[in-house]
Amino acid sequence: MRARTLLPLFLPAVVVGAVASLLFVGVSELADQLKDVLWSTLPDALGVGRYSSLWMIVMLTATGILVGLVVWKAPGHAGPDPATLGLQASPMALVILPGLLVATALMLAGGPSLGPENPIIAVNVALAFWAGRRFAPAAPGELWVTLAEAATIGAVFGTPVAAALVISEALAGRQVKGMLWDNLFAPLTAASVGSMTTALIGHPSFDLDLPPLGDPGWADALSALVIASAAAVLGMAAVYVFPYVHQVFSRLRHPMVALPVGGLVLGLLGCLGGSLTLFKGLDQVAELAQDPDGYSAGRLALMTVVKLAALVIAASCGFRGGRIFPAVFAGAAFGLCAHALVPSVPASLGLAAGVLGMLLAITRQGWVSLFTAAVLVSSPSIIALLCIASLPAWLLVTGRPQMQLREDGTAIR
């Protein structure tokens, strides 16, 4: 493609990137403010422990009731079944978006183990598609979908690299005109603006400030292979259970039954795993990394299993959210468990390898899994180890069911 063909895409990509980031940051800030009220101000006023077992059960159940009301009464029922959604979204009717945003904010504040990525992508895709059809009807609709997806991924991860990797992976299965970078020009522009906007107003940070890994040796390579593969196997166990748990909640039929019951189960799981197993998981990973030797192997193993169970329950019962960030926590806890069992395994290597294997199983996004695992540790020497570790882990997950369902409830392969 010539530059004069690509240049007209620049301004629309900038606008989509900025709007996508502002919406993501706005929903996140609203959820954080509500979280402070629900988990700090309110329990303090009532004289109840902030993260006591009683309060966790009450809050998660209440969150299920509130989200259930939104799903029941909001136009469009706050969007389709979240178990059927991934990082790629189809445009929704605008009337659905307010309910979806409210349900997402309530979920993020209330404690279920889901992240914001899937619903925020869906909202931004719907807005960009509507605006594109209204103000630039000659442009293909797929352009606005791609721009919104890339912009939101860039905003959520705080870097356009994640979006470029996801879009490149999606383009690999399509027939496209021009070179790869011709097709990445507009999405990368949107992702860059989205990530820069988030950085300027939201100040995200994925670096956990773990001790850097020195020159890697054969023992490190073996450790990465074993941990990533074991994490992938554990993640696949959750993937195989997912359709059956979803089927159980589907039999409850009404959202005012399924979501409160799901919230109650999540509250009980929170009592078992502790407060670190609540919420989307990214802040909680940072708390784990502050003292990687401060938890026993048994405690870390328990948090891993509880977080995976909470992810399956939350994604099955109808809470609106994504599965990437809870999987990051589960993988991080698993990797630090390996470090606790075998202290010669560096904490940074164990955490990164655990996240890599878990994300490969849960998301089936190879580039995103590698990128996320590497960026959490920010050690150049670990990238080669993660690439090596991804190979057997990928063989364990490829061709198997994914943690995403079709509309009829069957798993996607």
Side-chain angles (χ1 to χ4, degrees):
M1 297 182 188
R2 296 186 179 185
R4 65 185 182 188
T5 304
L6 298 175
L7 194 57
L9 301 175
F10 179 77
L11 183 57
V14 168
V15 173
V16 171
V19 172
S21 175
L22 290 173
L23 188 140
F24 163 66
V25 173
V27 172
S28 299
E29 288 294 326
L30 175 62
D32 286 342
Q33 294 296 324
L34 183 57
K35 176 184 172 183
D36 288 340
V37 172
L38 296 178
W39 292 93
S40 299
T41 306
L42 191 54
D44 288 349
L46 296 174
V48 181
R50 292 185 176 183
Y51 289 98
S52 64
S53 296
L54 174 62
W55 193 248
M56 283 192 281
I57 293 173
V58 169
M59 280 309 309
L60 269 299
T61 305
T63 301
I65 293 171
L66 291 174
V67 175
L69 280 170
V70 174
V71 174
W72 180 26
K73 293 296 186 181
H77 304 291
D81 185 347
T84 65
L85 298 180
L87 291 181
Q88 282 78 41
S90 299
M92 299 179 184
L94 293 185
V95 70
I96 299 175
L97 305 188
L100 179 56
L101 288 173
V102 171
T104 302
L106 288 172
M107 181 280 299
L108 291 172
S113 292
L114 293 173
E117 63 276 10
N118 289 5
I120 298 299
I121 287 174
V123 172
N124 280 328
V125 164
L127 290 174
F129 185 82
W130 172 82
R133 283 306 196 196
R134 183 180 179 92
F135 299 108
E142 186 179 351
L143 169 67
W144 306 108
V145 173
T146 303
L147 291 180
E149 289 175 351
T152 310
I153 294 171
V156 170
F157 285 90
T159 169
V161 177
L165 295 174
V166 171
I167 299 300
S168 297
E169 201 164 358
L171 290 174
R174 305 177 189 172
Q175 289 186 345
V176 295
K177 296 180 180 180
M179 300 180 67
L180 174 63
W181 279 91
D182 290 334
N183 292 276
L184 283 179
F185 177 81
L188 190 57
T189 300
S192 299
V193 174
S195 63
M196 284 300 298
T197 305
T198 300
L200 290 172
I201 62 179
H203 309 289
S205 177
F206 278 75
D207 186 5
L208 300 177
D209 199 27
L210 285 166
L213 184 69
D215 294 332
W218 291 110
D220 295 324
L222 179 61
S223 299
L225 285 166
V226 172
I227 295 170
S229 297
V233 170
L234 183 59
M236 284 306 303
V239 172
Y240 275 108
V241 169
F242 183 53
Y244 299 101
V245 178
H246 181 268
Q247 187 178 33
V248 170
F249 281 103
S250 296
R251 289 176 179 173
L252 299 179
R253 298 185 181 278
H254 203 285
M256 283 302 295
V257 179
L259 280 157
V261 169
L264 174 60
V265 175
L266 291 174
L268 295 172
L269 286 172
C271 297
L272 180 62
S275 60
L276 284 181
T277 60
L278 302 179
F279 304 104
K280 66 181 181 182
L282 197 58
D283 294 337
Q284 290 70 30
V285 169
E287 190 170 340
L288 279 181
Q290 287 178 359
D291 187 14
D293 297 312
Y295 302 88
S296 68
R299 180 65 180 165
L300 289 164
L302 177 63
M303 286 194 285
T304 302
V305 174
V306 168
K307 191 65 174 181
L308 274 178
L311 167 58
V312 171
I313 296 295
S316 298
C317 70
F319 284 109
R320 271 51 182 167
R323 299 175 280 275
I324 291 179
F325 293 121
V328 168
F329 179 92
F334 182 85
L336 291 178
C337 176
H339 165 70
L341 288 171
V342 185
S344 60
V345 175
S348 56
L349 175 61
L351 185 147
V355 169
L356 170 65
M358 193 66 67
L359 283 179
L360 284 174
I362 300 298
T363 70
R364 220 55 55 86
Q365 297 274 346
W367 284 122
V368 168
S369 302
L370 272 169
F371 168 79
T372 304
V375 80
L376 288 173
V377 175
S378 295
S379 178
S381 58
I382 208 169
I383 296 176
L385 293 177
L386 292 178
C387 289
I388 294 171
S390 69
L391 301 177
W394 182 255
L395 292 177
L396 290 170
V397 303
T398 185
R400 302 185 186 277
Q402 302 181 30
M403 190 173 270
Q404 184 177 346
L405 305 180
R406 299 183 180 90
E407 292 185 2
D408 62 1
T410 58
I412 297 174
R413 287 182 178 268

